[in-house]
Coordinates of all heavy atoms in Angstrom, one line a residue:
I726 N 14.9 -82.0 104.2 CA 13.8 -81.1 104.7 C 13.0 -81.7 105.8 O 12.9 -82.8 105.9 CB 12.9 -80.7 103.5 CG1 12.2 -82.0 102.9 CG2 13.6 -79.9 102.4 CD1 11.3 -81.8 101.8
E727 N 12.6 -80.8 106.6 CA 11.6 -81.1 107.7 C 10.2 -80.4 107.4 O 10.2 -79.3 107.1 CB 12.1 -80.7 109.1 CG 13.3 -81.6 109.5 CD 13.8 -81.3 110.9 OE1 12.9 -81.0 111.8 OE2 15.0 -81.2 111.1
I728 N 9.2 -81.1 107.6 CA 7.9 -80.7 107.2 C 7.0 -80.5 108.4 O 6.9 -81.1 109.5 CB 7.2 -81.9 106.3 CG1 8.1 -82.0 104.9 CG2 5.8 -81.3 105.8 CD1 8.2 -80.7 104.2
S729 N 6.1 -79.5 108.3 CA 5.0 -79.2 109.4 C 3.7 -79.0 108.6 O 3.6 -78.6 107.5 CB 5.4 -77.9 110.1 OG 6.7 -78.1 110.7
P730 N 2.7 -79.2 109.4 CA 1.3 -79.2 108.7 C 0.9 -77.5 108.7 O 1.4 -76.8 109.6 CB 0.4 -79.9 109.8 CG 1.2 -79.9 111.0 CD 2.6 -79.9 110.7
L731 N 0.1 -77.3 107.8 CA -0.4 -75.8 107.9 C -1.6 -75.6 108.8 O -2.8 -75.3 108.3 CB -0.8 -75.5 106.4 CG 0.2 -75.2 105.4 CD1 -0.4 -74.9 104.0 CD2 1.2 -74.1 105.8
D732 N -1.4 -75.7 110.1 CA -2.3 -75.4 111.0 C -2.4 -73.9 111.2 O -1.6 -73.1 110.7 CB -2.2 -76.2 112.4 CG -0.7 -76.0 112.9 OD1 -0.1 -75.0 112.6 OD2 -0.2 -77.1 113.6
E733 N -3.4 -73.5 112.2 CA -3.5 -72.1 112.4 C -2.2 -71.4 113.0 O -1.8 -70.4 112.7 CB -4.6 -71.7 113.4 CG -6.0 -72.1 112.7 CD -7.1 -71.7 113.6 OE1 -6.9 -70.7 114.5 OE2 -8.3 -72.2 113.4
K734 N -1.5 -72.3 113.9 CA -0.3 -71.6 114.5 C 0.7 -71.3 113.5 O 1.5 -70.3 113.5 CB 0.1 -72.6 115.5 CG 1.5 -72.3 116.4 CD 1.8 -73.2 117.3 CE 3.2 -72.7 117.9 NZ 3.7 -73.8 119.1
I735 N 1.0 -72.4 112.6 CA 2.0 -72.2 111.6 C 1.6 -71.1 110.6 O 2.5 -70.2 110.2 CB 2.2 -73.5 110.8 CG1 2.9 -74.5 111.8 CG2 3.1 -73.3 109.5 CD1 4.4 -74.3 112.1
R736 N 0.3 -71.1 110.2 CA -0.1 -70.0 109.4 C 0.2 -68.6 109.8 O 0.5 -67.6 109.2 CB -1.5 -70.2 108.8 CG -1.7 -71.5 108.0 CD -3.1 -72.0 107.8 NE -3.9 -70.7 107.2 CZ -5.1 -70.6 107.3 NH1 -5.8 -71.3 108.1 NH2 -5.7 -69.5 106.8
S737 N -0.2 -68.5 111.2 CA -0.1 -67.2 111.8 C 1.5 -66.8 111.8 O 1.8 -65.7 111.6 CB -0.7 -67.2 113.1 OG -0.5 -66.0 113.9
E738 N 2.3 -67.7 112.3 CA 3.7 -67.5 112.4 C 4.4 -67.1 111.2 O 5.3 -66.2 111.2 CB 4.4 -68.9 113.0 CG 5.9 -68.7 113.3 CD 6.4 -69.9 113.8 OE1 5.8 -70.9 114.3 OE2 7.7 -70.1 113.9
Y739 N 3.9 -67.7 110.0 CA 4.7 -67.4 108.7 C 3.8 -66.5 107.9 O 4.3 -66.1 106.8 CB 4.9 -68.7 108.1 CG 6.1 -69.6 108.5 CD1 5.9 -70.5 109.6 CD2 7.3 -69.4 108.0 CE1 6.8 -71.2 110.0 CE2 8.4 -70.2 108.6 CZ 8.1 -71.1 109.4 OH 9.1 -71.9 109.9
G740 N 2.7 -66.1 108.4 CA 1.9 -65.1 107.7 C 1.4 -65.7 106.3 O 1.4 -65.0 105.4
I741 N 0.9 -66.9 106.4 CA 0.5 -67.7 105.2 C -0.9 -67.8 105.1 O -1.7 -67.9 106.2 CB 1.0 -69.1 105.3 CG1 2.6 -69.2 105.3 CG2 0.5 -69.9 104.1 CD1 3.2 -70.5 105.6
R742 N -1.4 -67.5 104.0 CA -2.9 -67.5 103.8 C -3.4 -68.7 103.3 O -4.6 -69.1 103.4 CB -3.5 -66.3 102.8 CG -3.1 -64.8 103.2 CD -3.4 -63.9 102.2 NE -4.7 -63.9 101.8 CZ -5.3 -63.1 100.9 NH1 -4.4 -62.4 100.1 NH2 -6.6 -63.1 100.6
A743 N -2.5 -69.6 102.6 CA -2.8 -70.7 102.0 C -3.3 -71.7 103.1 O -2.9 -71.8 104.2 CB -1.8 -71.3 101.2
T744 N -4.2 -72.7 102.8 CA -4.7 -73.6 103.7 C -4.4 -75.0 103.2 O -4.6 -76.0 104.1 CB -6.3 -73.5 103.8 OG1 -6.9 -73.7 102.5 CG2 -6.6 -72.2 104.4
K745 N -4.0 -75.3 102.0 CA -3.7 -76.5 101.5 C -2.1 -76.6 101.2 O -1.6 -75.6 100.8 CB -4.4 -76.8 100.2 CG -5.9 -77.0 100.5 CD -6.7 -77.4 99.2 CE -8.1 -77.7 99.5 NZ -8.8 -78.1 98.2
G746 N -1.6 -77.8 101.5 CA -0.1 -78.0 101.3 C 0.7 -78.3 102.5 O -0.2 -78.4 103.6
V747 N 1.9 -78.5 102.6 CA 2.6 -78.6 103.7 C 3.8 -77.6 103.8 O 4.3 -77.3 102.7 CB 3.0 -80.1 103.9 CG1 1.9 -81.0 104.1 CG2 4.0 -80.5 102.8
L748 N 4.3 -77.2 105.0 CA 5.2 -76.2 105.0 C 6.6 -76.9 105.3 O 6.8 -77.8 106.1 CB 4.9 -75.3 106.3 CG 5.9 -74.1 106.5 CD1 5.6 -73.1 105.7 CD2 6.1 -73.8 107.9
I749 N 7.6 -76.4 104.6 CA 9.0 -76.7 104.8 C 9.5 -75.8 106.0 O 9.7 -74.6 105.8 CB 9.9 -76.6 103.6 CG1 9.4 -77.4 102.4 CG2 11.4 -76.8 103.9 CD1 10.2 -77.1 101.2
S750 N 9.7 -76.5 107.3 CA 10.0 -75.8 108.4 C 11.5 -75.6 108.6 O 12.0 -74.6 109.1 CB 9.3 -76.4 109.7 OG 9.6 -77.7 109.7
K751 N 12.3 -76.6 108.2 CA 13.6 -76.7 108.4 C 14.3 -77.3 107.3 O 13.7 -78.1 106.6 CB 14.0 -77.5 109.7 CG 13.7 -76.8 111.1 CD 14.0 -77.6 112.3 CE 13.6 -77.1 113.6 NZ 14.0 -77.7 114.8

């Protein structure tokens, strides 16, 4: 797995409301 932080760009791209945790991007 590859991980990305839950910054505003990622949250907007994936439509995520959560602010805590890390995103599995790949």
Side-chain angles (χ1 to χ4, degrees):
I726 57 176
E727 294 185 35
I728 300 297
S729 298
L731 283 182
D732 54 25
E733 286 189 24
K734 180 181 177 181
I735 290 291
R736 291 170 58 205
S737 175
E738 180 181 344
Y739 285 87
I741 296 172
R742 299 174 61 184
T744 58
K745 292 184 178 181
V747 295
L748 181 85
I749 298 177
S750 55
K751 294 182 181 179

